[in-house]
């Protein structure tokens, strides 16, 4: 093995372009097929430690481990819900020097959730990964724990795909893998499009994770130009739009970015997306007691979305420590749903799993931060 200069700190394998990986292997005197071999371990076998890649020569494994870290994430904490349906992972991203970036990335923490169902269409018996696209979020929806924390930084494509690989590594012992992906964790995916498109290609690529476009969903607060771009992309993933209100006045209170992309524009983009891709759009609607859960608002919602091929996902809001929002009584949820049913709009009420582990968006991280602050303050 001839000597290439060793870098001072290992680089993220996932964030290094393929040509550079191939070049690094060549510099280590390796044949061209090695790259495929390593990628197979990473993407197909869920192995994130070069030492375990048993068909590579020992000294190559050591040389790779000196130069690269496969997934730039560390599991800080996991929390399994009592019902066994959901496990939350709090992950630390060490940051550091990243290819194509002028400044080193600061460390950050994000959360990733592994669920035994698909929250967008209630399919059972699948493993769904709920991935974060940003550390924090700048949009500031008042009912959302991530929104309350604010924006910290963009994730790289490797940090997004790496979350999924951490889950696959955990499922490896059972001989299973993630089958569905939702970008519904922390952050607004369509405000980090470069990394998100790249991550989706890798998740979809037959030589990558090989997950079908129908099994990948982006949840967005409604960034209209990015929805237009998504409709034109080669990988037509599913689109979920966080609506939460049927008129601009109320929606601006719940989703402040509605000022920039008001409902008429957003719904027109959804209609075009559906026409272009032939897919239904999922509308997410967090039901908040006394705020957006009246039958009159349900009727207004029907009037606005009826022309769009869609599916509505009602989510009784998860109360967060920083807000007074409460979930409606079950009767109110049923009354709201009944209006949509009567209008023949397919509607599901999201079955809440893992409430005991803070399964709401961003809540594990918010809880961790407040625990750390309490520890720091000597409480
Ligand atoms: N930023 C994107 C994706 C992440 S949030 C978006 O907003 O769509 C994923 C979903 O969780 C969104 O539909 C969001 O509105 C919802 N959500 C956030 N906080 C919630 C809470 N406290 N209760 C219920 N749903 C919540
Ligand atoms: Fe950001 Fe989505 Fe939370 Fe709104 S709901 S603050 S867009 S993560």
């Amino acid at each position: 093995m001839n000597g290439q200069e060793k870098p001072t700190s290992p680089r993220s394998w996932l964030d290094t372009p393929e040509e550079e990986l191939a070049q690094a292997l060549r510099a280590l005197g390796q044949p061209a097929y090695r790259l495929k071999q390593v990628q197979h371990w990473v993407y197909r076998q869920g192995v994130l430690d070069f030492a375990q890649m048993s068909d590579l020569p020992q000294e190559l494994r050591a040389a790779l481990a000196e130069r690269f870290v496969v997934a730039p994430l560390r599991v800080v904490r996991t929390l399994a819900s009592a019902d066994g349906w959901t496990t939350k992972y709090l992950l630390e991203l060490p940051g550091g020097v990243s290819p194509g970036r002028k400044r080193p990335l600061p460390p950050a923490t994000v959360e990733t959730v592994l669920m035994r169902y698909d929250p967008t269409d209630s399919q059972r018996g699948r493993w769904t990964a709920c991935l974060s696209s940003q550390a924090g979020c700048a949009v500031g929806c008042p009912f959302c724990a991530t929104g309350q924390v604010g924006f910290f930084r963009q994730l790289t494509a490797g940090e997004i795909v790496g979350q999924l690989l951490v889950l696959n590594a955990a499922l490896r012992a059972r001989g299973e893998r993630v089958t569905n992906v939702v970008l519904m964790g922390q952050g607004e995916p369509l405000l980090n499009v470069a990394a998100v498109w790249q991550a989706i290609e890798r998740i979809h690529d037959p030589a990558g994770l090989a997950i079908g476009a129908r099994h990948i969903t982006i949840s967005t607060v409604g960034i209209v130009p990015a929805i237009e771009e998504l409709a034109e992309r080669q990988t037509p993933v599913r689109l979920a739009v966080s609506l939460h209100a049927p008129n601009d006045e109320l929606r601006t209170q719940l989703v402040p970015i509605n000022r920039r992309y008001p409902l008429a524009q957003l719904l027109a983009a959804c209609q075009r997306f559906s026409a272009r891709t032939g897919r239904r759009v999922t509308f997410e609607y967090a039901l908040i007691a006394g705020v957006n859960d009246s039958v009159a608002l349900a009727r207004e919602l029907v009037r606005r979305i009826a022309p769009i091929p869609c599916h509505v996902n009602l989510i009784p809001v998860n109360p967060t420590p920083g807000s007074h929002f409460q979930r409606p009584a079950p009767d109110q949820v049923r009354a709201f749903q009944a209006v949509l049913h009567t209008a023949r709009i397919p509607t599901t009420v999201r079955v809440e799993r893992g409430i005991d582990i803070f399964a709401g968006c961003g809540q594990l991280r918010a809880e961790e931060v407040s625990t750390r602050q309490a520890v720091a303050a000597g409480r």
Side-chain angles (χ1 to χ4, degrees), residues 275-289:
R276 183 86 179 86
T277 61
R279 292 187 198 274
R280 279 176 191 273
V281 175
T282 297
F283 288 121
E284 292 161 286
Y285 196 106
L287 283 169
I288 309 172

Side-chain angles (χ1 to χ4, degrees), residues 143-144 184-185 187-188 219-221 242 244 284 315 317-318 320 361:
F143 55 88
C144 167
M184 246 185 223
E188 168 47 49
S219 172
T220 176
V221 80
S242 298
H244 308 319
E284 292 161 286
I315 318 161
V317 76
N318 266 318
T320 64
C361 174

Side-chain angles (χ1 to χ4, degrees), residues 188-204:
E188 168 47 49
L190 296 189
L191 290 177
N192 185 15
V193 282
V196 164
W197 299 153
Q198 219 186 320
I200 284 178
E201 295 307 332
R202 204 93 60 81
I203 290 168
H204 181 252

Side-chain angles (χ1 to χ4, degrees), residues 90-145:
L90 187 69
L91 302 173
E92 191 172 80
L93 314 175
V97 181
S98 184
R101 283 173 192 269
K102 286 201 190 100
R103 291 207 198 116
L105 288 168
T109 49
V110 289
E111 60 184 53
T112 301
V113 184
L114 178 63
M115 296 170 287
R116 252 213 122 132
Y117 72 110
D118 179 343
T120 60
D121 67 359
S122 68
Q123 289 173 46
R124 299 286 187 271
R126 297 179 178 277
W127 288 107
T128 299
C130 176
L131 307 181
S132 293
S133 54
Q134 301 180 312
C137 182
V139 178
C141 306
F143 55 88
C144 167

